[in-house]
Amino acid sequence: SHSGSSASGLKRQPSRFARPPPKHRQPIRESPINMNKSHSEGGLSFLKNSKVGSASGFLVVGGSVLALPHGRRTSMDGPKAFDSTSEYQHHFREVPHCYASMSRKPLTAYNPNAPRSRLAVEDAPVPLKNASTIEFKDRFCVHNRRFVTTHKNHYTGEQADLRSNPGMIADSTRLKRFLSEK
């Protein structure tokens, strides 16, 4: 004692929230490679289908062909795995003494001032056990001419000047004084 309508005969009304059915897209077909192209079509069209994947493209600058590098890969997969070292421990960890000519250097991230790229530096000399490192010096005293007397400064070992012209004597004295003050 069901009403006379059958389930197969009813038309279903589309819901206003229902998505439209997907349109079938035709795959884009590329034309086969034409090996008979002339090089006059474009600057870098002859490099377009090259087999080497070391560059994302090419560019002509000042008459020379330059390769465009691939972009950096970034992973957005989620948070990084937990690192068990703190920021402080990471920057101040114990690292072995490294230098450029060392064999079996540990690998590190690139740093232009990394110790593994520097030349070896000799260790500081170890002082003797009972040697004193105290020096009694005055910072303002010039030690290389400390005990030079006036006689040593002005006596040059020349013969006595027998000239009697005071102008000539004054001129030569002025020249000697100028040269000694340099």
Side-chain angles (χ1 to χ4, degrees):
S1 113
H2 191 79
S3 63
S5 66
S6 69
S8 64
L10 290 177
K11 279 191 171 180
R12 197 163 177 195
Q13 292 293 328
S15 169
R16 62 180 185 167
F17 298 112
R19 292 184 181 169
K23 295 179 182 176
H24 295 289
R25 295 182 181 168
Q26 295 293 328
I28 300 172
R29 294 184 182 149
E30 295 182 11
S31 61
I33 301 171
N34 186 358
M35 299 301 277
N36 298 327
K37 288 183 181 177
S38 68
H39 294 291
S40 62
E41 287 181 8
L44 298 171
S45 62
F46 64 96
L47 293 172
K48 186 175 182 181
N49 295 315
S50 63
K51 298 289 182 186
V52 178
S54 61
S56 63
F58 298 92
L59 179 69
V60 176
V61 176
S64 58
V65 178
L66 301 176
L68 297 173
H70 290 285
R72 295 185 74 184
R73 291 182 184 165
T74 57
S75 61
M76 303 296 267
D77 297 338
K80 222 173 161 182
F82 178 71
D83 192 9
S84 63
T85 60
S86 68
E87 187 73 12
Y88 177 85
Q89 287 173 333
H90 173 70
H91 286 290
F92 295 98
R93 66 184 181 274
E94 269 190 59
V95 291
H97 178 69
C98 297
Y99 50 92
S101 60
M102 177 178 160
S103 60
R104 296 190 195 126
K105 292 180 277 195
L107 291 176
T108 57
Y110 174 73
N111 181 2
N113 297 325
R116 70 189 312 269
S117 304
R118 295 183 182 179
L119 295 176
V121 178
E122 294 181 15
D123 293 335
V126 179
L128 298 174
K129 188 172 184 180
N130 292 328
S132 174
T133 57
I134 300 171
E135 294 182 9
F136 295 102
K137 283 187 178 179
D138 184 13
R139 293 186 311 184
F140 306 108
C141 178
V142 181
H143 293 282
N144 56 355
R145 294 189 56 83
R146 186 172 182 185
F147 298 108
V148 177
T149 61
T150 306
H151 176 71
K152 286 183 181 176
N153 275 332
H154 297 289
Y155 179 71
T156 57
E158 295 177 4
Q159 293 184 357
D161 192 3
L162 302 175
R163 295 180 290 184
S164 60
N165 187 341
M168 297 297 284
I169 295 171
D171 190 43
S172 65
T173 305
R174 190 179 306 119
L175 179 63
K176 284 180 190 175
R177 184 170 181 178
F178 174 74
L179 292 175
S180 69
E181 287 178 356
K182 267 190 168 178

